[in-house]
């Protein structure tokens, strides 16, 4: 795993990496320069945020795996967290409130499905991503800011779909496979 880089004005610079991390990934940056990502250690991935050159590992009590996939301009980070070493897809979508190392709250998906992940977040606090709604069926999801429950966006009942981005009006883009 290589060191994560930040590209500013057509040149690359290393982002700070806390002691004990072997490398890191950057997934998203907001208009204020806050970066969402994950750091890799011998103990697994840990959700991270970078702000003003400072790296912070986010609180993930009981988790062995976590990553922050997106951040909005209010500082809300979304991603996924898992307590299972044997099944990486057992992770659930989650969010961290703005501010350093804020407590974690988990987002729920409908039905008896398995894992989920939040891949994007807008300024209203709505998140988009995917969830396993039934064995072998992964659907695009939107997670509301107030109720923290997921809404299945896949009206065509595809085998796989994912909401990869959303704007402040709640419009979602993504991908689907129907067979």
């Amino acid at each position: 795993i290589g060191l994560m880089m930040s590209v500013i004005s057509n040149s690359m610079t290393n982002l700070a990496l806390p002691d004990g991390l072997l490398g890191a990934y950057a997934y998203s940056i907001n208009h204020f320069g806050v970066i969402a990502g994950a750091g890799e250690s011998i103990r697994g991935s840990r959700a991270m945020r970078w702000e003003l050159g400072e790296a912070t590992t986010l609180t993930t009590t009981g988790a062995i795996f976590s990553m922050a996939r997106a951040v909005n301009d209010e500082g809300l980070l979304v991603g996924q967290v898992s307590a299972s070493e044997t099944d990486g897809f057992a992770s659930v979508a989650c969010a961290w409130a703005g501010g350093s190392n804020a407590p974690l709250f988990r987002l729920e998906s409908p039905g008896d499905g398995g894992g989920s992940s939040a891949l994007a977040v807008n300024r209203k606090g709505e998140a988009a991503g995917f969830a396993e709604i039934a064995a072998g069926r992964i659907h695009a999801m939107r997670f509301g800011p107030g109720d923290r429950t997921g809404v299945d966006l896949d009206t065509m009942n595809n085998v796989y779909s994912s909401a990869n981005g959303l704007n402040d009006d709640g419009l979602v883009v993504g991908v689907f496979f129907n067979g």
Side-chain angles (χ1 to χ4, degrees), residues 3 5 47 67 75 110 116 118 135 157 169:
L3 290 178
M5 307 290 247
M67 66 175 48
S116 62
N157 201 26
D169 293 326

PDB file of all heavy atoms in Angstrom, residues 3 5 47 67 75 110 116 118 135 157 169:
ATOM      1  N   LEU A   3       1.723   5.389   0.057  1.00  0.00           N
ATOM      2  CA  LEU A   3       1.263   6.525   0.847  1.00  0.00           C
ATOM      3  C   LEU A   3       0.268   7.338   0.051  1.00  0.00           C
ATOM      4  O   LEU A   3       0.404   7.498  -1.154  1.00  0.00           O
ATOM      5  CB  LEU A   3       2.444   7.410   1.244  1.00  0.00           C
ATOM      6  CG  LEU A   3       3.403   6.830   2.271  1.00  0.00           C
ATOM      7  CD1 LEU A   3       4.533   7.800   2.516  1.00  0.00           C
ATOM      8  CD2 LEU A   3       2.688   6.509   3.562  1.00  0.00           C
ATOM      9  N   MET A   5      -1.600  10.529  -1.403  1.00  0.00           N
ATOM     10  CA  MET A   5      -1.120  11.816  -1.864  1.00  0.00           C
ATOM     11  C   MET A   5      -2.290  12.769  -2.070  1.00  0.00           C
ATOM     12  O   MET A   5      -3.390  12.346  -2.348  1.00  0.00           O
ATOM     13  CB  MET A   5      -0.393  11.662  -3.200  1.00  0.00           C
ATOM     14  CG  MET A   5       0.703  10.630  -3.178  1.00  0.00           C
ATOM     15  SD  MET A   5       2.047  11.193  -2.197  1.00  0.00           S
ATOM     16  CE  MET A   5       3.259  11.373  -3.446  1.00  0.00           C
ATOM     17  N   ALA A  47     -11.155   4.095   9.638  1.00  0.00           N
ATOM     18  CA  ALA A  47     -11.669   5.325   9.050  1.00  0.00           C
ATOM     19  C   ALA A  47     -10.830   6.510   9.517  1.00  0.00           C
ATOM     20  O   ALA A  47     -10.421   6.570  10.674  1.00  0.00           O
ATOM     21  CB  ALA A  47     -13.131   5.521   9.440  1.00  0.00           C
ATOM     22  N   MET A  67     -14.002   2.476   7.165  1.00  0.00           N
ATOM     23  CA  MET A  67     -13.489   3.446   6.203  1.00  0.00           C
ATOM     24  C   MET A  67     -14.501   4.561   6.027  1.00  0.00           C
ATOM     25  O   MET A  67     -15.702   4.331   6.083  1.00  0.00           O
ATOM     26  CB  MET A  67     -13.146   2.801   4.861  1.00  0.00           C
ATOM     27  CG  MET A  67     -14.303   2.255   4.088  1.00  0.00           C
ATOM     28  SD  MET A  67     -13.865   1.641   2.437  1.00  0.00           S
ATOM     29  CE  MET A  67     -12.453   0.649   2.738  1.00  0.00           C
ATOM     30  N   GLY A  75     -19.047  18.660   7.377  1.00  0.00           N
ATOM     31  CA  GLY A  75     -18.122  17.798   8.110  1.00  0.00           C
ATOM     32  C   GLY A  75     -18.654  16.417   8.420  1.00  0.00           C
ATOM     33  O   GLY A  75     -17.982  15.635   9.088  1.00  0.00           O
ATOM     34  N   PRO A 110     -33.013  -1.839   4.846  1.00  0.00           N
ATOM     35  CA  PRO A 110     -34.290  -2.535   4.989  1.00  0.00           C
ATOM     36  C   PRO A 110     -34.127  -4.052   4.915  1.00  0.00           C
ATOM     37  O   PRO A 110     -33.144  -4.563   4.402  1.00  0.00           O
ATOM     38  CB  PRO A 110     -35.092  -2.021   3.791  1.00  0.00           C
ATOM     39  CG  PRO A 110     -34.068  -1.727   2.766  1.00  0.00           C
ATOM     40  CD  PRO A 110     -32.877  -1.218   3.541  1.00  0.00           C
ATOM     41  N   SER A 116     -23.814  -3.262   4.129  1.00  0.00           N
ATOM     42  CA  SER A 116     -24.158  -2.029   3.434  1.00  0.00           C
ATOM     43  C   SER A 116     -22.986  -1.066   3.514  1.00  0.00           C
ATOM     44  O   SER A 116     -22.082  -1.247   4.323  1.00  0.00           O
ATOM     45  CB  SER A 116     -25.413  -1.396   4.041  1.00  0.00           C
ATOM     46  OG  SER A 116     -25.184  -1.043   5.396  1.00  0.00           O
ATOM     47  N   ALA A 118     -22.155   3.375   2.774  1.00  0.00           N
ATOM     48  CA  ALA A 118     -22.516   4.707   2.298  1.00  0.00           C
ATOM     49  C   ALA A 118     -21.320   5.236   1.511  1.00  0.00           C
ATOM     50  O   ALA A 118     -20.199   5.254   2.011  1.00  0.00           O
ATOM     51  CB  ALA A 118     -22.848   5.628   3.462  1.00  0.00           C
ATOM     52  N   ALA A 135     -30.159 -12.373   0.312  1.00  0.00           N
ATOM     53  CA  ALA A 135     -28.974 -13.140  -0.075  1.00  0.00           C
ATOM     54  C   ALA A 135     -28.691 -12.974  -1.568  1.00  0.00           C
ATOM     55  O   ALA A 135     -29.535 -13.282  -2.409  1.00  0.00           O
ATOM     56  CB  ALA A 135     -29.159 -14.609   0.271  1.00  0.00           C
ATOM     57  N   ASN A 157     -35.503  -4.182  -9.413  1.00  0.00           N
ATOM     58  CA  ASN A 157     -35.118  -5.411  -8.723  1.00  0.00           C
ATOM     59  C   ASN A 157     -33.934  -6.112  -9.394  1.00  0.00           C
ATOM     60  O   ASN A 157     -33.978  -7.309  -9.690  1.00  0.00           O
ATOM     61  CB  ASN A 157     -36.303  -6.365  -8.580  1.00  0.00           C
ATOM     62  CG  ASN A 157     -36.082  -7.362  -7.461  1.00  0.00           C
ATOM     63  OD1 ASN A 157     -35.333  -7.099  -6.515  1.00  0.00           O
ATOM     64  ND2 ASN A 157     -36.714  -8.513  -7.561  1.00  0.00           N
ATOM     65  N   ASP A 169     -29.954  18.120  -4.277  1.00  0.00           N
ATOM     66  CA  ASP A 169     -31.377  17.952  -4.576  1.00  0.00           C
ATOM     67  C   ASP A 169     -31.830  16.515  -4.366  1.00  0.00           C
ATOM     68  O   ASP A 169     -32.999  16.193  -4.569  1.00  0.00           O
ATOM     69  CB  ASP A 169     -31.674  18.368  -6.022  1.00  0.00           C
ATOM     70  CG  ASP A 169     -31.476  19.861  -6.234  1.00  0.00           C
ATOM     71  OD1 ASP A 169     -31.741  20.637  -5.297  1.00  0.00           O
ATOM     72  OD2 ASP A 169     -31.055  20.246  -7.345  1.00  0.00           O
TER      73      ASP A 169
END
